[in-house]
Amino acid sequence: MNIERQAPALRDAIIDVLAARDINAVWRSFSTALVAFGFDKILYCGIRMPGGCLVEDINDALLLHLGPQEYLDQYLGSELYRGSPAYAWASQNSGFASWPDAIAALGPIDTLTHKRILKLNADFGICSGYVGSLKGLVPGMRGIIGMSPARGLHQPEADRLWARHGKDIEILCQLLHLRVASLPQTDPRRPLTSRQREALQWCSQGKTMQDIATIMGVRSVTIEKHLRMAREALNAQTTAHAVQKAMALNLLNNGD
């Protein structure tokens, strides 16, 4: 495809991603563009949590996926991602790499888990792919994205796709990560009320229970109720954990 035909496609995809007003709409625009570039199986993971590794608890991460749900269930449910060379590469590097290049850069890998991943890939006709580490774009937020082309396409063919579209794909991946970071993530269990978010917001600024009660004009027992309900909604063990999760989901400082 020549540059005259590529440029409008990239421009239109950027416009669509920027115009989207929620994460699902961002993902639809992004994944539609990647399918047009030849990559129809995509997994994005973003997490705004402290710690050295990319994802400590998959339940704390935002996961966006295009492809067979059965594949995702096995890859995540059996925690195969923890032994994935692509995952390991992304936790140590930034930028993009083909799967073979990521493996070559790592040295020794978890052979047993890798064999299980290769078998899972073979079962779903996945023969090639690329991994991206979206590191350093958003302070305090890590991201990884993996993508594979159409069923049965081997790495040399994927490399030819990447040679044509790789730079455009990298731009779109970075834009996806930036847009996701700017939008609130909805919790699958129960949304926080505005008062719960406000109480967590003051907690994040180091205010005591009595401080928050005075600021919000209610009794301390009411603040404790707001925080207890927030902990339950976020499936958090402590108030500090709830603050951490709310920040990871971009639920604080969102204009409410």
Side-chain angles (χ1 to χ4, degrees):
M1 184 179 294
N2 61 43
I3 192 169
E4 288 78 18
R5 294 179 63 190
Q6 285 185 35
L10 176 63
R11 181 195 61 201
D12 292 346
I14 290 172
I15 290 171
D16 289 345
V17 170
L18 289 174
R21 289 294 174 260
D22 61 68
I23 288 176
N24 288 334
V26 169
W27 181 247
R28 283 194 300 271
S29 297
F30 169 82
S31 57
T32 297
L34 255 64
V35 168
F37 286 138
F39 291 85
D40 61 0
K41 290 171 286 295
I42 317 164
L43 176 59
Y44 166 85
C45 173
I47 189 163
R48 199 195 304 265
M49 303 287 266
C53 67
L54 190 63
V55 180
E56 295 184 12
D57 183 351
I58 203 70
N59 293 315
D60 291 332
L62 171 68
L63 298 172
L64 301 171
H65 177 245
L66 178 70
Q69 183 63 39
E70 297 84 354
Y71 180 94
L72 187 67
D73 291 343
Q74 293 185 54
Y75 185 69
L76 298 182
S78 300
E79 296 194 334
L80 294 179
Y81 70 93
R82 292 190 180 275
S84 163
Y87 176 93
W89 182 90
S91 68
Q92 300 171 23
N93 297 275
S94 60
F96 292 77
S98 68
W99 288 353
D101 286 345
I103 292 171
L106 284 175
I109 61 174
D110 182 343
T111 304
L112 181 59
T113 303
H114 189 212
K115 286 181 178 178
R116 292 177 63 193
I117 293 171
L118 289 175
K119 183 182 184 305
L120 177 64
N121 287 347
D123 290 343
F124 285 86
I126 299 173
C127 305
S128 58
Y130 278 78
V131 60
S133 175
L134 303 165
K135 183 179 178 182
L137 286 175
V138 181
M141 184 169 183
R142 303 289 301 276
I144 180 173
I145 187 161
M147 63 202 83
S148 299
R151 183 181 181 90
L153 209 63
H154 291 272
Q155 195 65 49
E157 298 163 298
D159 289 344
R160 286 192 286 274
L161 275 178
W162 193 264
R164 292 198 299 273
H165 307 302
K167 292 300 181 183
D168 290 351
I169 291 172
E170 290 184 23
I171 290 170
L172 288 174
C173 289
Q174 292 163 357
L175 182 60
L176 166 73
H177 191 56
L178 290 167
R179 288 294 288 135
V180 164
S182 72
L183 294 167
Q185 299 171 29
T186 55
D187 187 82
R189 289 170 289 274
R190 187 166 73 244
L192 295 178
T193 67
S194 60
R195 298 295 270 176
Q196 290 165 10
R197 287 199 301 274
E198 185 179 357
L200 287 175
Q201 182 69 61
W202 288 119
C203 283
S204 74
Q205 297 179 22
K207 301 296 184 182
T208 67
M209 193 81 67
Q210 186 56 56
D211 290 338
I212 300 171
T214 301
I215 292 168
M216 294 178 62
V218 297
R219 295 184 302 162
S220 294
V221 65
T222 302
I223 297 301
E224 175 51 39
K225 179 181 178 181
H226 288 323
L227 294 175
R228 175 175 56 80
M229 297 298 289
R231 291 193 298 270
E232 291 176 2
L234 293 168
N235 193 28
Q237 300 302 310
T238 65
T239 297
H241 190 202
V243 168
Q244 187 182 62
K245 283 196 166 188
M247 293 178 69
L249 294 170
N250 210 26
L251 297 176
L252 304 184
N253 285 321
N254 64 357
D256 289 338

